[in-house]
Amino acid sequence: MNEYLIEIKNLHKYFGKTEVLKGLDIQIQKGEVVVMIGPSGSGKSTFLRTMNLLEKPTKGEVYFEGTNIADKSVDVFKHREKMGMVFQQFNLFPNMTVLENLSLAPVKTGKMDKTQAVEKATQLLERVGLADKAQAYPQSLSGGQQQRVAIARALAMNPEVMLFDEPTSALDPEMVGEVLNVMQELAKEGMTMVIVTHEMGFAKNVADRVLFMADGVIVEEGKPIDLFENPQEKRTQEFLAKVL
Ligand code: ADP
Ligand code: MG
């Protein structure tokens, strides 16, 4: 029996001869909000992409609901559907309306029929405050609105977990708040979330647990109050001194 939604064991990732992830062990419970912080180039994006199987682990296990999804015999697409991913660049389909962006995957994968998908999409747009933009095209929206659409699109597949890779880093400062608010609401509703971000205020308020990654390893982890107020490791202290 596996009590975690996600359990990562001894995860290594090489690009050529460069070892980018150097043996990660991470457990995530259902409903947990885990924020990962760390310097640029430390492997945070690679970690998220490996969890989502956009990258193949070189070594180690990634258990999702008890199944090792790093195993060759596993259906990658079936598992990826259970993980919604939101990137720094919103990656919306430019030639489709907002509603079409949301309903495409659920219909294409056979998860919902058209009517169900449109109904779900409409509910989600309401939830992210964009009900009036259903027929708009992505280009006509602000960055903050596009990112909220991207979040809604990921939610349209009813994922078990949401992965966020610096979702507010490409936004103008005045739009960061509206995206973080949507994420905070999701967290309150009990969504399991793994979030890479430089928004330390958000991490303090919303995270159940903060992981500090540097140079391919988890240097330190803890409750936000402990990690931010009383970091134990020198590397964590130095990083926080720069960003706080
Ligand atoms: P972070 O998200 O923490 O900034 P990344 O996971 O993007 O870090 O990158 C970690 C390291 O892996 C960097 O040195 C980066 O250059 C390297 N890297 C990332 N993706 C690839 C790739 N597809 N091929 C080769 N090297 C890569
Ligand atoms: Mg990154």
Side-chain angles (χ1 to χ4, degrees), residues 102-147:
L102 265 66
S103 53
L104 181 73
V107 172
K108 214 173 170 181
T109 56
K111 211 175 165 82
M112 298 173 203
D113 66 28
K114 186 85 196 290
T115 316
Q116 288 171 319
V118 168
E119 195 177 317
K120 172 93 185 168
T122 307
Q123 283 168 8
L124 285 168
L125 286 176
E126 218 154 278
R127 199 157 138 196
V128 300
L130 293 171
D132 57 331
K133 298 295 184 189
Q135 300 307 325
Y137 283 85
Q139 269 169 304
S140 71
L141 305 179
S142 72
Q145 289 172 331
Q146 289 189 54
Q147 192 60 304

Side-chain angles (χ1 to χ4, degrees), residues 93-107:
F93 308 118
N95 56 335
M96 292 182 190
T97 65
V98 163
L99 193 74
E100 288 164 349
N101 263 276
L102 265 66
S103 53
L104 181 73
V107 172

